[in-house]
Amino acid sequence: MKWYELSERATLEVTKTDKENGLTAKEIALRQKQEGFNELAEGEKQSALLVFLEQFKDFMVLVLLAATLISGLLGEYIDAIAIIAIVVINGFLGFFQERRAEKSLNALKELSAPQVLALRDGKWSKTLSRELVVGDIVKFGSGDRIGADIRLIDAKSLEIEESALTGESVPVPKYTRVLEGNEIPLGDQENMAFMGTLVTRGSGVGVVVGTGMKTAMGQIADLLQNAEAVITPLQRKLEQLGKILIIVALLLTVLVVGIGVLQGHDLYTMFLAGVSLAVAAIPEGLPAIVTVALSLGVQRMIKQKSIVRKLPAVETLGCASVICSDKTGTLTQNKMTVTHLWSGGKTWNLSGTGYDPSGTFSAEGKEVNVSREKPLQQLLLFGLLCNQTTVTKKDKDYVVDGDPTEAALVVAAMKADFTRQNVKGDFKVIEEFPFDSTRKMMSVVIEGKDNKRYVVTKGAPDVLLTNSKSIVWENRHQQLSPSGREEVQNAIHSLASQALRTIAVAYRPLESYETITTEQAAEKELVFLGFQGMIDPPRPEVKQAVKECRDAGIKTVMITGDHVITAEAIAKQLGILPKGGRVLEGHTLNTMSQSELEDVVDDVYVYARVSPEHKLKIVKALQAKDHVVAMTGDGVNDAPAIKAADIGIAMGITGTDVAKEASALVLLDDNFATIKSAIKEGRNIYENIRKFIRYLLASNVGEILVMLFAMILALPLPLVPIQILWVNLVTDGLPAMALGLDQPEDDVMKRRPRHPKEGVFARGLGWKVVSRGFLIGIATLAAFIIVYDNNPDNLQYAQTIAFATLVMAQLIHVFDCRSEKSIFDRNPFENLYLVGAVISSILLMLVVIYYPPLQPIFHTMAIAPREWLIILGLASVPTFLLAGSLLTRKKS
């Protein structure tokens, strides 16, 4: 049995409480001992030390630590220190990111009311929200935040804003009667008040029926705790790459040691050479460069009004194939706006959105002068007078104090130059009967400056129509006939089919002798004036953003707690719902198993009337179909799905702290269109990571092959281990980082999203690495052989020539890595950071070669000027030989 199915008497019996006196202090203490305090539980927190140590579980990091150990055992202490420095720096970067990431439950706890008014021992007194227990009788009014889950036993004009839980932008009227039905969605449980929601109107009394983790908010907290953070595609790719490299390194070590021993070299010398090759095979700087590239991408994304909270998630945007978006406040403005008005058989359209009172009235496509339309004037004026909400300008924005539906009526009146200030001299309110969810109406008695009085009523159109005796029709009053009622109902249904919420206005002139003291006396024999149709309008820029995402192969799915008619209408307006696209409601999702949802999930574009559990279910179903899912939202109800998605996106302005803390990306402007810019940046970041992986690995292949070929040919080693490490960490590092700043190629948003299982060497990258690396190795070995054959007694000089050739070949090759096609396809000066990095690397190389104190450390000698012709000539071959070949283009 659900709480909303129980009567007031049954609720009091089940909770063992007294409506007149509440609980006793003894009973409260006993229940607190049994149930615990009314607060959200926290999961076990890892110590800072454990979080830091976990940064070293990454496969690539373990490979580097193994290389460090071997280097240290062999006496290569400089190598070991350099690798350790990189690993530790990388660990600290990850540690600081992670320590900031898990604050969701703290933010969730702040939504609980700090104090509530509770009836205890027969007296009403303020008590801390955390001390509430099941059975407490609590009272609340406008502006109060609900402190626990409550079954209402008294409600006076009570409305509660539940958007953080349900996603609905309109406050929900509340009443006390029993509801029938086993699976009523959260948003329709109108005799319940939930922890963390806000009272916007009226007052109420209720019995606490759920505290702490047993509340609706607690269920979300539990989902948030248990939602598993997914491994990003980039993390998977780097793990895959690390495994490949360690296998290659081990095979090379065994191969080199075996070849050397067979050729008669001693085992220790060959083992040292094998380890040197293993070091060459592993790009030691890769984890640090990936982190730096992501960080640089983050800085660029801040300029695009999006803040990244979790670094690896940046590139996940690049392969997002589905965006699951909340409707309210994300696709729409979360500002109810009147768009249509009807009176006497005539319909007017009203332009403008939000609370800015600028807009024009039109009928049949032509702008109208409101002063010439008396029924329209009356409809707007009475909608303003029968109203408790104010809209005021603060700085550059308009601020609402009150109900958003009433705010829409106020703004509509302001667009016709009716404001409270300029009508208060003509009318004054002398009696008011507040809105009641049972009556579904609100009424005021107003008096004009001519001393004439009127009852003005607004509310649900069907109710006002029932209470009306006549109607304003073509500027005249006439009896409301059955055919007239039918025509009004048809007009109401017409607007409702467009997902507009309608609020009707009626009035009654009072005789001088009439005194109105009750709602019943006021709300009878009314003159039906008309109604206003309003909607939470779509953001104007979203439609184009949805189209651009579709062109990029990304599907947009709307997930909302709102009604299906509203959701479907908005989805069609924005181009989200195509012809033949399916719409699913929450009650249908309740009956579907996870596998049944997976079978249809690709055909569904709109989910309406859903709960937080549904959102999580949808995200998991999409992930099961190999989609990379981006989940956007702003409410508490979105947080578990945001956390479980591949990339969680929260709204920065309207978003709750809970949603932000669960997310990986926060949009500063709450603009869905910003997601498109973020996706473009994410795609570019991934492509840039591919560029420097291509660059680093091609360089490493060249290093491996020059060493391997030299051993096969029984030549001395062309490079010593410290030179290899210098190239890997210094010469390769700066240009690789500069590649991370490269601008996107022209077609980056015209490609389909890459498959999440796409290998790091896909799209011809493996061929490019091997072919360029092979030529770099051959060119370096050729330079070594030419010099060594001429002067076999000076091995160090030949090694210096090989070192310089290898560095220059790589620095020329880096410009080829900027394009998927050819070095000639892009202007090298588009990326001035790269030009600067290459110049810096050349200068550092010259310092190592020509600065005497460094020559003994790096086993180098000063190179004669004429040798540079050989170095530069051979270094150019690897890039320009294949630059325009048909084979390269085919593989691209």
Side-chain angles (χ1 to χ4, degrees):
M1 198 77 169
K2 306 289 186 182
W3 289 109
Y4 54 77
E5 295 179 281
L6 296 180
S7 66
E8 176 186 323
R9 181 177 176 182
T11 303
L12 293 170
E13 287 177 357
V14 172
T15 56
K16 298 178 182 177
T17 191
D18 180 0
K19 180 181 177 181
E20 303 301 326
N21 298 297
L23 297 173
T24 64
K26 183 178 178 181
E27 183 65 28
I28 290 164
L30 179 63
R31 295 190 185 191
Q32 283 177 346
K33 187 175 180 180
Q34 292 172 340
E35 303 168 9
F37 285 108
N38 177 32
E39 54 191 8
L40 302 177
E42 295 186 30
E44 290 185 20
K45 288 187 175 181
Q46 285 187 315
S47 69
L49 178 61
L50 279 176
V51 173
F52 179 69
L53 292 176
E54 279 200 346
Q55 307 306 313
F56 302 95
K57 288 169 61 178
D58 182 83
F59 193 80
M60 179 70 79
V61 173
L62 294 176
V63 169
L64 294 178
L65 290 174
T68 305
L69 178 63
I70 294 170
S71 297
L73 290 174
L74 295 175
E76 301 294 335
Y77 300 116
I78 294 177
D79 295 12
I81 291 169
I83 298 171
I84 280 289
I86 288 169
V87 170
V88 171
I89 290 169
N90 197 53
F92 273 111
L93 284 171
F95 169 75
F96 287 123
Q97 283 292 325
E98 196 160 323
R99 290 300 285 175
R100 291 165 47 198
E102 294 299 326
K103 297 177 183 175
S104 302
L105 292 174
N106 289 335
L108 199 63
K109 289 169 79 173
E110 289 175 8
L111 280 178
S112 297
Q115 284 191 325
V116 293
L117 196 61
L119 178 64
R120 292 178 167 181
D121 288 319
K123 296 179 181 178
W124 289 103
S125 59
K126 284 192 174 182
T127 184
L128 292 174
S129 172
R130 72 185 294 268
E131 294 180 356
L132 287 176
V133 296
V134 171
D136 260 325
I137 308 294
V138 294
K139 184 190 290 184
F140 39 83
S142 181
D144 290 339
R145 196 172 288 282
I146 304 297
D149 281 6
I150 294 167
R151 170 63 168 91
L152 298 171
I153 58 175
D154 184 37
K156 294 178 180 176
S157 304
L158 180 63
E159 292 189 7
I160 299 179
E161 193 267 304
E162 299 176 339
S163 64
L165 279 175
T166 66
E168 282 200 65
S169 55
V170 180
V172 179
K174 297 289 183 177
Y175 48 84
T176 60
R177 72 181 184 209
V178 173
L179 299 177
E180 294 180 1
N182 195 30
E183 292 296 337
I184 297 178
L186 209 66
D188 292 334
Q189 294 178 24
E190 293 172 329
N191 58 8
M192 296 287 296
F194 300 103
M195 176 192 273
T197 59
L198 187 68
V199 180
T200 59
R201 173 187 279 173
S203 62
V205 177
V207 184
V208 172
V209 295
T211 60
M213 297 300 287
K214 293 181 181 178
T215 62
M217 187 77 76
Q219 291 170 15
I220 293 175
D222 186 55
L223 288 172
L224 200 56
Q225 278 186 355
N226 296 321
E228 296 179 6
V230 296
I231 298 175
T232 70
L234 178 62
Q235 289 170 321
R236 285 195 290 267
K237 300 303 178 293
L238 292 180
E239 188 173 323
Q240 173 193 19
L241 179 60
K243 289 175 181 177
I244 292 170
L245 292 176
I246 192 65
I247 292 168
V248 169
L250 290 172
L251 289 175
L252 281 171
T253 303
V254 172
L255 180 63
V256 169
V257 171
I259 292 173
V261 171
L262 289 174
Q263 289 179 341
H265 295 289
D266 66 275
L267 182 62
Y268 177 79
T269 302
M270 293 322 301
F271 187 68
L272 182 60
V275 171
S276 298
L277 272 183
V279 172
I282 301 168
E284 289 86 350
L286 183 59
I289 293 171
V290 168
T291 303
V292 170
L294 291 173
S295 299
L296 294 172
V298 166
Q299 297 306 311
R300 289 199 301 274
M301 291 179 80
I302 289 173
K303 295 177 182 177
Q304 300 283 345
K305 297 186 178 179
S306 49
I307 294 177
V308 176
R309 298 185 63 257
K310 297 174 184 176
L311 279 183
V314 176
E315 63 81 37
T316 312
L317 280 167
C319 57
S321 56
V322 176
I323 300 173
C324 293
S325 177
D326 187 39
K327 177 184 74 69
T328 305
T330 308
L331 298 169
T332 62
Q333 299 180 34
N334 200 15
K335 295 176 181 177
M336 295 299 288
T337 304
V338 172
T339 58
H340 293 72
L341 303 98
W342 183 96
S343 181
K346 189 172 182 179
T347 300
W348 295 271
N349 297 324
L350 179 55
S351 65
T353 59
Y355 298 136
D356 185 350
S358 57
T360 56
F361 295 83
S362 61
E364 298 177 352
K366 295 180 181 178
E367 189 173 334
V368 299
N369 187 337
V370 178
S371 63
R372 296 178 182 176
E373 305 277 353
K374 188 177 178 183
L376 176 59
Q377 274 188 309
Q378 272 192 307
L379 185 60
L380 293 165
L381 177 61
F382 286 169
L384 174 67
L385 293 171
C386 187
N387 202 307
Q388 295 176 316
T389 297
T390 59
V391 179
T392 53
K393 191 169 186 179
K394 188 175 182 181
D395 297 326
K396 295 181 180 179
D397 295 322
Y398 286 85
V399 179
V400 171
D401 181 13
D403 182 81
T405 300
E406 289 196 334
L409 301 178
V410 172
V411 173
M414 291 169 72
K415 290 177 181 179
D417 294 328
F418 290 127
T419 65
R420 293 191 192 281
Q421 287 72 28
N422 64 23
V423 301
K424 66 182 180 182
D426 298 325
F427 299 95
K428 63 179 179 180
V429 177
I430 58 175
E431 189 69 65
E432 183 176 305
F433 304 103
F435 178 86
D436 181 87
S437 55
T438 304
R439 290 169 29 246
K440 297 184 179 179
M441 289 183 286
M442 171 191 176
S443 297
V444 294
V445 178
I446 60 173
E447 184 176 274
K449 61 183 180 181
D450 55 2
N451 295 324
K452 288 185 178 180
R453 291 180 298 134
Y454 303 86
V455 169
V456 179
T457 302
K458 79 170 193 304
D462 55 335
V463 177
L464 260 68
L465 202 55
T466 301
N467 288 22
S468 294
K469 184 178 180 180
S470 55
I471 187 171
V472 173
W473 195 270
E474 295 180 353
N475 284 333
R476 297 193 309 275
H477 288 196
Q478 62 183 50
Q479 285 293 110
L480 192 53
S481 63
S483 61
R485 289 180 188 275
E486 185 178 351
E487 188 157 349
V488 174
Q489 287 171 340
N490 289 338
I492 294 168
H493 292 153
S494 174
L495 293 190
S497 67
Q498 300 173 51
L500 296 178
R501 185 184 186 197
T502 50
I503 300 294
V505 177
Y507 72 102
R508 178 163 65 91
L510 295 176
E511 301 294 341
S512 58
Y513 59 83
E514 282 189 272
T515 301
I516 304 297
T517 58
T518 65
E519 298 98 327
Q520 291 79 7
E523 296 163 352
K524 66 179 184 179
E525 298 184 346
L526 299 170
V527 180
F528 192 88
L529 179 57
F531 51 85
Q532 301 187 36
M534 62 189 69
I535 195 169
D536 179 10
R539 291 177 177 272
E541 66 281 348
V542 167
K543 186 172 184 178
Q544 179 62 23
V546 168
K547 179 182 181 300
E548 290 184 32
C549 286
R550 187 169 59 248
D551 292 343
I554 301 165
K555 175 184 177 182
T556 303
V557 175
M558 178 193 289
I559 303 178
T560 178
D562 217 335
H563 291 281
V564 65
I565 294 175
T566 305
E568 192 170 342
I570 294 290
K572 285 179 179 177
Q573 285 182 45
L574 294 174
I576 291 173
L577 184 62
K579 190 175 181 181
R582 289 189 62 177
V583 179
L584 275 185
E585 290 188 72
H587 64 80
T588 306
L589 279 171
N590 282 334
T591 64
M592 299 177 77
S593 67
Q594 190 69 33
S595 59
E596 286 173 333
L597 178 58
E598 289 169 15
D599 290 338
V600 300
V601 74
D602 282 332
D603 301 321
V604 181
Y605 290 80
V606 177
Y607 297 88
R609 224 67 181 129
V610 297
S611 68
E613 294 87 349
H614 291 147
K615 295 186 178 189
L616 203 55
K617 188 175 180 179
I618 293 162
V619 168
K620 289 182 177 179
L622 287 164
Q623 289 173 331
K625 300 291 283 186
D626 287 336
H627 287 292
V628 175
V629 182
M631 173 69 193
T632 74
D634 57 358
V636 175
N637 59 319
D638 300 321
I642 285 174
K643 186 175 180 181
D646 297 276
I647 174 82
I649 305 172
M651 302 296 115
I653 299 173
T654 60
T656 60
D657 287 343
V658 186
K660 292 174 190 174
E661 295 301 332
S663 69
L665 185 75
V666 178
L667 303 182
L668 291 176
D669 58 357
D670 284 15
N671 192 336
F672 183 89
T674 304
I675 299 173
K676 185 259 303 179
S677 301
I679 287 174
K680 182 176 181 180
E681 191 59 58
R683 288 189 175 190
N684 185 45
I685 287 170
Y686 183 76
E687 290 305 312
N688 286 349
I689 289 172
R690 271 173 53 92
K691 289 172 188 176
F692 63 65
I693 286 176
R694 169 184 169 184
Y695 170 62
L696 290 174
L697 293 190
S699 301
N700 286 20
V701 167
E703 295 162 20
I704 293 166
L705 293 180
V706 71
M707 301 286 280
L708 185 59
F709 290 158
M711 290 181 183
I712 292 172
L713 296 173
L715 293 169
L717 294 180
L719 299 165
V720 296
I722 190 64
Q723 291 172 345
I724 293 173
L725 199 67
W726 172 268
V727 172
N728 284 0
L729 299 182
V730 181
T731 305
D732 289 352
L734 290 174
M737 287 184 187
L739 281 175
L741 289 167
D742 213 9
Q743 296 299 311
E745 295 187 64
D746 294 337
D747 63 345
V748 71
M749 280 300 283
K750 295 176 183 175
R751 306 171 189 166
R752 303 288 300 176
R754 68 182 184 279
H755 195 279
K757 293 182 180 177
E758 175 185 288
V760 74
F761 296 111
R763 291 181 275 146
L765 185 65
W767 162 254
K768 290 168 187 171
V769 166
V770 172
S771 61
R772 271 37 167 222
F774 177 81
L775 290 175
I776 288 171
I778 293 296
T780 303
L781 186 62
F784 174 77
I785 291 172
I786 290 170
V787 176
Y788 182 69
D789 282 349
N790 288 335
N791 190 0
D793 296 328
N794 196 346
L795 175 60
Q796 189 169 326
Y797 189 69
Q799 287 174 331
T800 305
I801 295 291
F803 171 66
T805 304
L806 177 66
V807 170
M808 291 307 302
Q810 291 179 5
L811 294 179
I812 294 170
H813 169 61
V814 73
F815 291 100
D816 190 28
C817 295
R818 293 186 62 231
S819 173
E820 288 279 325
K821 298 173 185 176
S822 165
I823 191 173
F824 300 114
D825 281 5
R826 303 195 73 182
N827 181 351
F829 294 101
E830 282 178 350
N831 188 342
L832 293 178
Y833 297 104
L834 182 58
V835 174
V838 168
I839 293 172
S840 299
S841 294
I842 291 172
L843 292 174
L844 288 170
M845 174 192 67
L846 294 176
V847 169
V848 168
I849 291 172
Y850 289 103
Y851 185 54
L854 294 178
Q855 288 174 341
I857 297 173
F858 291 95
H859 306 279
T860 55
M861 298 176 65
I863 298 173
R866 66 177 182 277
E867 309 285 12
W868 282 103
L869 294 175
I870 298 172
I871 292 168
L872 294 174
L874 288 170
S876 302
V877 170
T879 296
F880 293 105
L881 184 66
L882 294 178
S885 72
L886 291 173
L887 184 58
T888 302
R889 292 185 180 276
K890 181 180 177 182
K891 293 292 181 181
S892 297

